[in-house]
Amino acid sequence: MSRKDAYRRYLKTWTWARKRRAACTIHGKRCAKCGTTRGPFEVHHKRYSKWGTEDPQRDLEVVCKPCHENEHSGCALAVGLLLAVCALALLG
């Protein structure tokens, strides 16, 4: 099983559900990125290396759906840009 598949399975567990609820209780229903109080809200891992052992206080944050989508599209964009820069450096 790939790490991505394992992560998707983890998100369906009772352990994740408890940590997600704890993060919402700790951080409240306010987006950590834009500050909106209008949902829907999602819980985001600040560091994916911690999934399964994450601490809701330190490793999770509550974000609105648009900010969560932007966070992940930004990651994809950053990786793409990094690969392009590396490719140019190798060609150059």
Side-chain angles (χ1 to χ4, degrees):
M1 175 184 327
S2 72
R3 184 156 170 81
K4 193 174 197 176
D5 290 337
Y7 178 71
R8 286 183 181 142
R9 288 181 92 184
Y10 173 67
L11 293 180
K12 296 176 183 178
T13 66
W14 285 105
T15 301
W16 171 245
R18 283 191 304 273
K19 290 182 181 187
R20 188 178 64 235
R21 278 193 303 274
C24 289
T25 299
I26 292 165
H27 300 294
K29 295 208 175 180
R30 175 180 295 272
C31 179
K33 302 294 182 189
C34 72
T36 188
T37 56
R38 298 182 67 194
F41 294 103
E42 298 176 352
V43 176
H44 173 69
H45 281 90
K46 293 179 183 179
R47 291 174 280 165
Y48 283 93
S49 61
K50 293 285 192 173
W51 71 263
T53 61
E54 64 275 279
D55 176 294
Q57 175 75 39
R58 289 179 285 141
D59 302 320
L60 302 175
E61 63 186 354
V62 175
V63 292
C64 66
K65 188 169 179 64
C67 284
H68 199 200
E69 290 171 357
N70 285 339
E71 184 75 20
H72 286 284
S73 67
C75 290
L77 179 61
V79 169
L81 289 173
L82 179 60
L83 290 173
V85 168
C86 290
L88 286 174
L90 289 172
L91 294 173

